[in-house]
mmCIF file of all heavy atoms in Angstrom:
data_model
loop_
_atom_site.group_PDB
_atom_site.id
_atom_site.type_symbol
_atom_site.label_atom_id
_atom_site.label_comp_id
_atom_site.label_asym_id
_atom_site.label_seq_id
_atom_site.Cartn_x
_atom_site.Cartn_y
_atom_site.Cartn_z
ATOM 1 N N ALA A 157 13.029 -6.689 17.631
ATOM 2 C CA ALA A 157 12.747 -5.380 18.219
ATOM 3 C C ALA A 157 11.910 -4.544 17.266
ATOM 4 O O ALA A 157 12.321 -4.343 16.145
ATOM 5 C CB ALA A 157 14.042 -4.660 18.567
ATOM 6 N N PRO A 158 10.724 -4.112 17.706
ATOM 7 C CA PRO A 158 9.914 -3.267 16.816
ATOM 8 C C PRO A 158 10.600 -1.940 16.488
ATOM 9 O O PRO A 158 11.182 -1.310 17.338
ATOM 10 C CB PRO A 158 8.638 -3.031 17.642
ATOM 11 C CG PRO A 158 9.047 -3.200 19.059
ATOM 12 C CD PRO A 158 10.130 -4.198 19.050
ATOM 13 N N ARG A 159 10.596 -1.591 15.212
ATOM 14 C CA ARG A 159 11.175 -0.352 14.763
ATOM 15 C C ARG A 159 10.312 0.818 15.168
ATOM 16 O O ARG A 159 9.068 0.760 15.036
ATOM 17 C CB ARG A 159 11.376 -0.342 13.259
ATOM 18 C CG ARG A 159 12.176 0.807 12.722
ATOM 19 C CD ARG A 159 12.544 0.565 11.272
ATOM 20 N NE ARG A 159 13.164 1.692 10.637
ATOM 21 C CZ ARG A 159 14.434 2.021 10.764
ATOM 22 N NH1 ARG A 159 15.218 1.298 11.578
ATOM 23 N NH2 ARG A 159 14.950 3.045 10.117
ATOM 24 N N LYS A 160 10.897 1.859 15.654
ATOM 25 C CA LYS A 160 10.114 3.023 16.055
ATOM 26 C C LYS A 160 9.380 3.626 14.850
ATOM 27 O O LYS A 160 9.850 3.611 13.759
ATOM 28 C CB LYS A 160 11.030 4.101 16.668
ATOM 29 C CG LYS A 160 11.718 3.695 17.972
ATOM 30 C CD LYS A 160 12.668 4.738 18.478
ATOM 31 C CE LYS A 160 13.363 4.300 19.775
ATOM 32 N NZ LYS A 160 14.340 5.269 20.237
ATOM 33 N N ASP A 161 8.177 4.149 15.110
ATOM 34 C CA ASP A 161 7.397 4.695 14.049
ATOM 35 C C ASP A 161 8.064 6.016 13.551
ATOM 36 O O ASP A 161 8.939 6.584 14.179
ATOM 37 C CB ASP A 161 5.931 4.918 14.442
ATOM 38 C CG ASP A 161 5.734 5.906 15.568
ATOM 39 O OD1 ASP A 161 6.325 7.016 15.460
ATOM 40 O OD2 ASP A 161 5.067 5.602 16.520
ATOM 41 N N TYR A 162 7.588 6.459 12.389
ATOM 42 C CA TYR A 162 8.215 7.589 11.713
ATOM 43 C C TYR A 162 8.122 8.890 12.575
ATOM 44 O O TYR A 162 9.065 9.666 12.669
ATOM 45 C CB TYR A 162 7.554 7.861 10.377
ATOM 46 C CG TYR A 162 7.775 6.723 9.382
ATOM 47 C CD1 TYR A 162 6.716 6.026 8.844
ATOM 48 C CD2 TYR A 162 9.051 6.414 8.982
ATOM 49 C CE1 TYR A 162 6.913 5.001 7.935
ATOM 50 C CE2 TYR A 162 9.280 5.382 8.050
ATOM 51 C CZ TYR A 162 8.174 4.666 7.529
ATOM 52 O OH TYR A 162 8.395 3.676 6.642
ATOM 53 N N LYS A 163 6.995 9.131 13.186
ATOM 54 C CA LYS A 163 6.839 10.333 14.008
ATOM 55 C C LYS A 163 7.819 10.341 15.167
ATOM 56 O O LYS A 163 8.380 11.360 15.499
ATOM 57 C CB LYS A 163 5.377 10.478 14.503
ATOM 58 C CG LYS A 163 4.423 10.950 13.454
ATOM 59 C CD LYS A 163 3.031 11.218 14.036
ATOM 60 C CE LYS A 163 3.076 12.396 15.016
ATOM 61 N NZ LYS A 163 1.689 12.709 15.539
ATOM 62 N N THR A 164 7.947 9.208 15.829
ATOM 63 C CA THR A 164 8.834 9.107 16.974
ATOM 64 C C THR A 164 10.282 9.317 16.549
ATOM 65 O O THR A 164 11.046 10.094 17.157
ATOM 66 C CB THR A 164 8.723 7.730 17.651
ATOM 67 O OG1 THR A 164 7.378 7.569 18.106
ATOM 68 C CG2 THR A 164 9.676 7.618 18.835
ATOM 69 N N ARG A 165 10.679 8.671 15.412
ATOM 70 C CA ARG A 165 12.018 8.838 14.924
ATOM 71 C C ARG A 165 12.315 10.278 14.524
ATOM 72 O O ARG A 165 13.386 10.812 14.823
ATOM 73 C CB ARG A 165 12.253 7.898 13.742
ATOM 74 C CG ARG A 165 12.292 6.440 14.130
ATOM 75 C CD ARG A 165 12.131 5.527 12.929
ATOM 76 N NE ARG A 165 13.136 5.819 11.893
ATOM 77 C CZ ARG A 165 13.014 5.410 10.631
ATOM 78 N NH1 ARG A 165 11.964 4.713 10.269
ATOM 79 N NH2 ARG A 165 13.966 5.678 9.763
ATOM 80 N N LEU A 166 11.353 10.926 13.859
ATOM 81 C CA LEU A 166 11.559 12.315 13.440
ATOM 82 C C LEU A 166 11.632 13.221 14.657
ATOM 83 O O LEU A 166 12.495 14.123 14.667
ATOM 84 C CB LEU A 166 10.414 12.747 12.523
ATOM 85 C CG LEU A 166 10.532 14.181 12.028
ATOM 86 C CD1 LEU A 166 11.746 14.374 11.140
ATOM 87 C CD2 LEU A 166 9.276 14.573 11.241
ATOM 88 N N GLN A 167 10.768 13.023 15.657
ATOM 89 C CA GLN A 167 10.800 13.892 16.811
ATOM 90 C C GLN A 167 12.148 13.778 17.542
ATOM 91 O O GLN A 167 12.742 14.776 17.951
ATOM 92 C CB GLN A 167 9.688 13.507 17.771
ATOM 93 C CG GLN A 167 9.669 14.400 19.047
ATOM 94 C CD GLN A 167 8.427 14.160 19.863
ATOM 95 O OE1 GLN A 167 7.350 14.119 19.315
ATOM 96 N NE2 GLN A 167 8.589 14.052 21.167
ATOM 97 N N GLU A 168 12.657 12.525 17.672
ATOM 98 C CA GLU A 168 13.955 12.345 18.327
ATOM 99 C C GLU A 168 15.091 13.052 17.536
ATOM 100 O O GLU A 168 15.999 13.666 18.155
ATOM 101 C CB GLU A 168 14.256 10.861 18.469
ATOM 102 C CG GLU A 168 13.354 10.190 19.489
ATOM 103 C CD GLU A 168 13.612 8.670 19.596
ATOM 104 O OE1 GLU A 168 14.373 8.142 18.748
ATOM 105 O OE2 GLU A 168 13.040 8.062 20.491
ATOM 106 N N ALA A 169 15.020 12.950 16.208
ATOM 107 C CA ALA A 169 16.032 13.595 15.391
ATOM 108 C C ALA A 169 16.007 15.129 15.531
ATOM 109 O O ALA A 169 17.045 15.784 15.609
ATOM 110 C CB ALA A 169 15.879 13.211 13.910
ATOM 111 N N MET A 170 14.810 15.715 15.527
ATOM 112 C CA MET A 170 14.660 17.158 15.652
ATOM 113 C C MET A 170 15.094 17.630 17.052
ATOM 114 O O MET A 170 15.692 18.717 17.190
ATOM 115 C CB MET A 170 13.225 17.573 15.343
ATOM 116 C CG MET A 170 12.763 17.316 13.899
ATOM 117 S SD MET A 170 13.797 18.177 12.661
ATOM 118 C CE MET A 170 14.894 16.828 12.128
ATOM 119 N N GLN A 171 14.730 16.863 18.080
ATOM 120 C CA GLN A 171 15.144 17.227 19.439
ATOM 121 C C GLN A 171 16.680 17.202 19.545
ATOM 122 O O GLN A 171 17.280 18.078 20.178
ATOM 123 C CB GLN A 171 14.537 16.280 20.459
ATOM 124 C CG GLN A 171 13.043 16.362 20.631
ATOM 125 C CD GLN A 171 12.675 17.520 21.552
ATOM 126 O OE1 GLN A 171 13.428 18.404 21.863
ATOM 127 N NE2 GLN A 171 11.432 17.457 22.047
#
Side-chain angles (χ1 to χ4, degrees):
R159 187 169 175 79
K160 294 176 182 177
D161 63 50
Y162 295 118
K163 284 187 66 177
T164 300
R165 290 165 55 197
L166 180 64
Q167 179 170 316
E168 290 178 351
M170 294 301 99
Q171 291 278 18

